[in-house]
Amino acid sequence: MPDRNPRRTGRRSVLAAALSIVVAAGSVVATAAPAAAYDMRYETNASWAWTDSHSPTTINIDRPGDVPVGTWKDERGRPHTSRAYFTFDISRYRGADIQSAVLDVKETAGGDCTRRPVVELRRTAAYTARSSWRNPPADLGLVDSRQLTDQTVCPAPRVEFDAIEGLRQALAEGRSTLTLSLRLPADAERDPALARKYATKVGISIDYNFRPGVPTELQSETGTACTTTEPYQVIRYPVPSGVVHDRDRNSGGGTDQLTVSFAAWPVDQPEARIEQTDYARDGERAFGRYDNMYPSPFEHDRTYAWQMRAADSRATGEWSPVCYFRLDVQGPATPPVVTSTDFPDDDGWYPALPGEFTFTANGAADVVRYGYSLDSGVEKTIDADRAGGTATVTLTPDSGPNTLRVWSLDAVGNRSATTEYTFRATDVSPVVEGRLSEIGVPATFQLRPQMDGVVRYRYALDGEPEQTVDAAADGSAAITVTATRGGSRTLTVTSVTAGGVEATSSRQFALPTAPKISATVYLPVPSGGQGVPGVFTFTPRLPDTVSYRYQFTGEDQQVVAAKADGTASVTWAPTEAGTVILVVRSVSRDGTVSEPATLSFRVRDLRPAVSADPYRTDVPMGGPGQPGEFRFTSPLTTTVAFLYRFDDGAEQRVETGNRATVSWTPTEGGTHTLTVVGVTADGTRSPEQVWTFLVNDAPQVQSAER
C-alpha cells in the first residue's frame, strides 16, 4: 500500500483560497501529493433548512431553491427575516484529531452588492420538523464570522468559514451530526440591503487524522502471548511483537505506514532502557529487532519488561501494556548419560533387534526432555519422567556399528552438550532369495533365518494381505508370491521365533506394466522391405487386458481388441525403408493403461542400388555422345533380372542375376533419369528406383597429349 504524505511544515490558513483541491466522491486530495492515506475529505451537507419570521411556526427542510439569510421582501413587498441551517454527518470522524475544517458556501444573490455585511457561522442543535422561527434550534455559540471585501465578486462564488471549533465541539460531545447556521448579526438582520442567498449544497474541507491505536496480541517470543503478571514466562530468544492499528484510509483503501517503537529494560534497572524501531501498517505485526543486535543487550537469568506503541506522521498512540519475561540462554550444565542392557557399550556384537536405551540427567536438575538421533537420522525428542529425571526409548539399529547421539533440553529448549553412545549390532533379519519379475507370474522365494529358534515367517507384498508359513526344522521355508499389479513393489518377510522375537527383511522389485512385443519378418537388423507384411504380436503384463493402443512411426495411433487370453496380433507392411519404432500400450477392462513398450526395427530397402561411371547425381559429368556404364545391384539374392529405362525411353530387360551393368550414351546435356526395377524368378517386381544424374551440355574434349 502507498505511504501517506509527510505533513507539511507551517500550517496553512484555514481560509487560504490558494488551497488547490479536487473534489471527487466526497474526498479532497492535495493535487501535488502522491496517492496516500491522506487525511483530507470534503464532506457535503446531508440536509438543509431555513426559518422565516413571516411564517413563525414552520420550517422549510430540504426545500428546492436557494436558502435566504437576513431580511428580504416577497412579491407583495412583505418583509421576511430568515436564518439558514446545514446538517452534516460527522460519525466517521469520531476519535479523529481534527487539524482544520473549512466550510465553503456559494452566494447566489445579494441585496446590495455595494454593502458587505458580517455573516455569522453559528453552531446549533439539530433542527426538526417542529423547529421554527419562534422555536429555533438551540444556539450553541458563534463558530466564525466572515465579511467579504468590496473587491470580492458579488454574488461571491465561494465564501469560506473556519468551522474547526464547531466540529471539534460536536465530536467531543459524542455527536454523530453537526448543524451549522448562517445568519446576520442582530443589528444587521433587519436591513434588506444586507440580505443574502446561498446554494443549498455546502461542504466542509476536513483535515483530520486518527491517532494510532494501542497495539494488541503482544508476544515476547514468536507464537506465545506475553505475560503481564508473575510468574513471568522464561524464553530463549526475545522477539517482542504486536499487531498495530490505525483507522486512516485513502480513497483507494491505502493505509498509513506506522513507525513502531519498542522499549525494553531490566526490571531492576529501568534507566537502562533499550529502544528499537520497526515499520508496519494497520493490522500487521511489528517486531522489536533486538535479535539483530550484537552483542545481545539481554543477559541470562535476568527479568525484563517491554512495551510498544505506534505513530503516524501526525500523532503518536498510547503505549501498550507492559510485558515481562526472564531470559534463559544456557542449557543443562552436564550432558546426559546413556545406558542399555540390550546393546551394552562394550565392543560386543548383539542382534539387531529392537532394544531399550535409557537417558539420565547426570545431575542437571533443569532437564525436562531429551533429544536423540540414531546414526545421524531424524532428530526426535522424549519427555523426562520428571524435572531432572530419566527417559527410555526403544530403537531398532541397523547391522554394523551404530552411534546414538543424545542431548538434554531445559524447559525453553536450551541444549546441553551431546553424548555419543557407540554399539554394534549383527544382522538377524531373514535371508530372502528369489526374484519377482512379472505381473501375474508366480515367483518362488527361499527363506533362511539368521537367528536361532525361527518357527515361522510372515510375508506380504505391499498393499496385499499378509500370509504366514511355518519354518522347517532348520528354520528355512519356501513361499510363492504372485504380483497382481506392477510398479515398484516391496516384499516384506518377518521371521518369528518360538519366543516371539521378530526380525524383518525387505526386498524391492520393479515390475514393468508395458506389454511384450514379438514380430515376424522384422528384426533389429535390416529385414523385410517396402510392401512386405510382418505380424506383430502383443502379450500383456497387466491382468484383464481388453485392447491395445499401437502406433508405427509416422502413422496415427490405432486400437486392436485383445483375444480371450489377452494377446493381440496386427499385420503391417511398411511403405518406406529405414528405422521404424512401434509403441504399444495395453488397456485393462477397468481403464488402466500400461506403460509404453517399444520395438525398434529397420526396414530393408528393396529398390535396386544404382551407380555409374562417369555420371553422378550431384555434378555434371561426361557430355552428349560420351557413353556411360550404369551398374544395378539388388539386395535380394532371388533377383534374376532388371527392367530399366532412361528418361522416357522404352523399358529394357537384362538378365544377369542380382547384379547387372548396362551402357547408355546421352545425346544431350542436362538432367536425366534412370528407372530400375528388380524382378525375381516368380515375376515379383521390386519398388522402382529412380536415379537422377547430370550431363554436361557439351562433350568433353580430351587432348592426345598428356
Side-chain angles (χ1 to χ4, degrees), residues 87-347:
T87 296
F88 298 85
D89 181 355
I90 60 171
S91 57
R92 73 168 54 246
Y93 305 102
R94 287 177 178 172
D97 296 331
I98 306 302
Q99 304 295 316
S100 68
V102 179
L103 175 75
D104 66 89
V105 298
K106 179 181 180 181
E107 193 178 70
T108 59
D112 182 353
C113 283
T114 64
R115 299 176 62 187
R116 301 290 189 171
V118 172
V119 181
E120 295 181 345
L121 178 68
R122 307 187 73 88
R123 177 175 165 243
T124 71
Y127 50 80
T128 69
R130 296 184 178 182
S131 300
S132 65
W133 178 265
R134 288 182 181 172
N135 183 34
D139 186 0
L140 301 179
L142 179 66
V143 175
D144 192 19
S145 61
R146 179 75 162 141
Q147 184 176 23
L148 300 179
T149 65
D150 293 342
Q151 288 75 34
T152 306
V153 176
C154 182
R158 181 184 179 91
V159 184
E160 293 183 343
F161 296 86
D162 187 354
I164 188 170
E165 291 305 322
L167 177 57
R168 284 176 173 173
Q169 291 168 6
L171 292 171
E173 294 167 7
R175 299 185 183 275
S176 298
T177 61
L178 167 67
T179 300
L180 297 174
S181 173
L182 289 178
R183 67 182 68 179
L184 300 185
D187 59 354
E189 196 170 32
R190 300 292 181 178
D191 186 349
L194 301 179
R196 293 292 184 270
K197 285 187 176 182
Y198 298 95
T200 56
K201 284 296 182 182
V202 301
I204 304 179
S205 298
I206 303 174
D207 187 358
Y208 68 101
N209 179 63
F210 285 104
R211 188 179 303 271
V214 177
T216 60
E217 300 180 41
L218 305 179
Q219 298 178 357
S220 295
E221 63 178 348
T222 302
T224 305
C226 76
T227 50
T228 57
T229 58
E230 294 187 280
Y232 303 136
Q233 63 190 141
V234 181
I235 63 177
R236 296 170 63 197
Y237 301 113
V239 185
S241 68
V243 177
V244 296
H245 306 279
D246 185 66
R247 292 172 56 187
D248 291 319
R249 295 287 187 279
N250 64 17
S251 58
T255 58
D256 286 342
Q257 177 167 281
L258 305 176
T259 300
V260 187
S261 298
F262 291 84
W265 61 94
V267 294
D268 58 351
Q269 192 180 359
E271 68 276 9
R273 189 180 181 92
I274 313 162
E275 293 200 2
Q276 286 282 291
T277 300
D278 194 20
Y279 301 92
R281 298 179 186 275
D282 176 62
E284 296 179 347
R285 180 171 292 276
F287 296 86
R289 302 296 182 183
Y290 295 101
D291 55 333
N292 291 339
M293 299 177 66
Y294 182 83
S296 173
F298 301 109
E299 299 176 9
H300 173 68
D301 201 26
R302 198 170 186 184
T303 301
Y304 291 87
W306 70 272
Q307 58 184 167
M308 61 182 291
R309 66 180 178 183
D312 60 20
S313 55
R314 285 188 172 181
T316 300
E318 298 294 330
W319 284 105
S320 70
V322 178
C323 294
Y324 298 87
F325 64 85
R326 182 171 65 83
L327 192 66
D328 182 356
V329 295
Q330 295 181 4
T334 55
V337 173
V338 181
T339 58
S340 175
T341 57
D342 295 315
F343 295 97
D345 184 12
D346 60 1
D347 292 334

